Amino acid sequence: QQASRIQLPPGFAQELDQIWKFPFAWPLPIGNDALSAEKDSIEEKTKAALFDGQYEHMISDEGSKIDINDLASPSKTLREVTAKQLVNIFEQKVTSDEKFREQYQNFKFKDLINRMTDWMSSVNTSANGGDKRGPFQELGEGYPPNRGFRTIDELRLVPGMTEEFFSLLSPHITIYGMKAINPNIASEMVLKSLDTGITDEIIKEIIKRRDDPDEGGPFKGTKDEECRTDFKTFIVGRGARLNDAEFDQIPFLCDKVINFRIQATGRSGSGKGAVQKKINFVVMDINRSATQIKNFIDAEKKAAQGQNPQIDPRTGQPIPPQQQTGQTSAAQKQDPLPKGRPRVVYWSEQ
């Protein structure tokens, strides 16, 4: 985050992601094309080290997945966008997989998504109509719990959620989303979920561009609208036929990654005395996510009142009414970087 605030040449700035993407491992990995002298040096340092175990750490983006808890967000925009993305995942599967199509072409996936919403909503009326408690009766007392999902595995309890459906969704969903899609790191399925007009061929073009500076490199824009426009212009130029009204509601974020999943595996000893531990945890910028939601709600209130929201030039997001004082210089100040350690919101050990 500190490095991203430095004015760097475009070709160098896009390499900043390597700061968090680069894996850590011990002993130091030796590549197949490493020189003999390099291999000897690494092996010498490994033997001299006091630490005789092994470990690997991998960091991956968590925020650009689809946050299923946004189905019950106080923001109407986030609720609608999230529901549409999840439905699109199923519809894309129906279109591309003949076996899946034969079995589920008449399945009402929207009803399934609505039952996910029923799990969280505070009212007893189902998003599908009627009393929402009926389909959950087999789960016993206390269901639906009327709260957000606390783990992805809880999704298995939703009536109608088969293991096949869960396996399709689980790699692309989270409960720690950053309330926006980063097209530079989002998975292929998440990218396809943005609109049914985004084909497999266009996905290949997206991946090719964002991974290769000679093809244009990552999509750019410090504001939501700028990021979306760059991405949209590119895919429309590659033949995507979009539902503009729905697509233009999707929040985008090109220049920041704020929520991470970190996986660490450590091993010590050998033979029967060997010990292996796995740690899996998520760090999240909760304040940033909360601000995103509040800005959406404020913009929706203004839209309902027929007013045009004032936009923060730094983020491209609507400025809350209490901050719209006309003091432009204050609005343009950069937010201070978070202090202290990242906020750990999930932790597991095996």
Side-chain angles (χ1 to χ4, degrees):
Q1 290 188 53
Q2 290 175 335
S4 68
R5 296 191 174 205
I6 302 173
Q7 295 297 321
L8 299 170
F12 187 82
Q14 65 192 30
E15 299 300 325
L16 288 178
D17 276 350
Q18 297 305 320
I19 292 176
W20 66 267
K21 286 182 178 178
F22 198 81
F24 296 90
W26 183 267
L28 298 173
I30 303 175
N32 294 330
D33 43 348
L35 299 175
S36 177
E38 292 176 335
K39 293 181 179 179
D40 292 342
S41 176
I42 291 175
E43 291 173 353
E44 180 181 348
K45 287 180 170 57
T46 301
K47 291 178 181 178
L50 297 177
F51 181 73
D52 61 355
Q54 303 175 16
Y55 66 78
E56 301 96 29
H57 294 172
M58 295 294 296
I59 306 176
S60 58
D61 163 60
E62 184 73 12
S64 280
K65 296 178 181 179
I66 302 170
D67 193 328
I68 55 175
N69 282 340
D70 285 339
L71 287 169
S73 171
S75 165
K76 181 174 182 288
T77 299
L78 285 178
R79 293 197 302 270
E80 292 179 349
V81 167
T82 303
K84 187 63 178 177
Q85 283 187 268
L86 294 171
V87 170
N88 282 346
I89 287 179
F90 288 114
E91 290 183 349
Q92 298 269 14
K93 183 70 172 177
V94 168
T95 301
S96 61
D97 188 321
E98 183 177 353
K99 183 178 179 181
F100 190 87
R101 180 169 60 253
E102 289 177 355
Q103 191 168 358
Y104 299 113
Q105 60 182 342
N106 295 320
F107 189 90
K108 296 181 179 180
F109 293 106
K110 179 61 176 175
D111 289 353
L112 175 61
I113 305 305
N114 284 341
R115 281 194 288 274
M116 292 167 59
T117 302
D118 291 343
W119 173 284
M120 296 179 277
S121 69
S122 58
V123 299
N124 289 331
T125 302
S126 172
N128 290 320
D131 192 325
K132 74 175 186 179
R133 292 170 292 187
F136 289 87
Q137 285 182 346
E138 292 185 2
L139 296 177
E141 188 177 353
Y143 288 95
N146 303 332
R147 58 158 173 80
F149 289 94
R150 293 175 177 170
T151 68
I152 294 299
D153 282 332
E154 279 191 327
L155 200 60
R156 288 186 163 103
L157 297 176
V158 174
M161 180 61 66
T162 67
E163 195 61 28
E164 185 173 10
F165 294 165
F166 180 82
S167 297
L168 177 61
L169 291 178
S170 58
H172 315 293
I173 58 177
T174 184
I175 55 174
Y176 308 111
M178 60 186 180
K179 317 307 175 188
I181 297 297
N182 189 326
N184 295 320
I185 49 182
S187 70
E188 295 183 18
M189 182 61 78
V190 171
L191 291 172
K192 287 184 69 175
S193 75
L194 298 176
D195 195 285
T196 54
I198 302 178
T199 63
D200 289 334
E201 290 71 23
I202 294 174
I203 293 294
K204 292 178 182 178
E205 292 291 324
I206 293 171
I207 304 300
K208 181 179 179 182
R209 169 184 159 163
R210 74 185 190 183
D211 291 345
D212 188 348
D214 293 334
E215 297 290 335
F219 296 95
K220 303 172 181 63
T222 57
K223 305 175 185 178
D224 168 75
E225 184 178 354
E226 293 173 350
C227 179
R228 185 192 305 106
T229 298
D230 189 20
F231 181 75
K232 181 178 179 179
T233 300
F234 180 81
I235 61 176
V236 169
R238 299 308 186 275
R241 297 181 178 180
L242 306 177
N243 182 325
D244 289 331
E246 293 181 352
F247 189 86
D248 291 344
Q249 294 296 313
I250 301 172
F252 276 78
L253 186 68
C254 278
D255 65 336
K256 291 288 186 296
V257 178
I258 58 178
N259 300 342
F260 303 89
R261 179 176 294 273
I262 304 174
Q263 296 171 295
T265 303
R267 291 175 291 276
S268 179
S270 59
K272 293 183 178 180
V275 176
Q276 176 170 296
K277 291 287 186 180
K278 291 184 179 181
I279 299 175
N280 185 13
F281 64 102
V282 176
V283 296
M284 180 177 181
D285 189 335
I286 294 178
N287 291 336
R288 179 82 63 88
S289 296
T291 299
Q292 288 274 80
I293 295 174
K294 186 178 186 305
N295 289 341
F296 281 123
I297 295 173
D298 290 339
E300 290 163 8
K301 287 181 179 178
K302 279 189 165 290
Q305 297 168 359
Q307 302 178 37
N308 293 322
Q310 185 176 334
I311 302 299
D312 186 328
R314 295 171 296 117
T315 64
Q317 297 293 335
I319 301 174
Q322 66 270 26
Q323 296 180 13
Q324 296 182 16
T325 61
Q327 298 178 358
T328 305
S329 59
Q332 290 178 344
K333 289 182 180 179
Q334 282 192 324
D335 294 329
L337 289 172
K339 295 181 180 180
R341 297 179 178 179
R343 180 77 171 271
V344 176
V345 293
Y346 171 81
W347 179 283
S348 71
E349 289 186 44
Q350 296 179 344

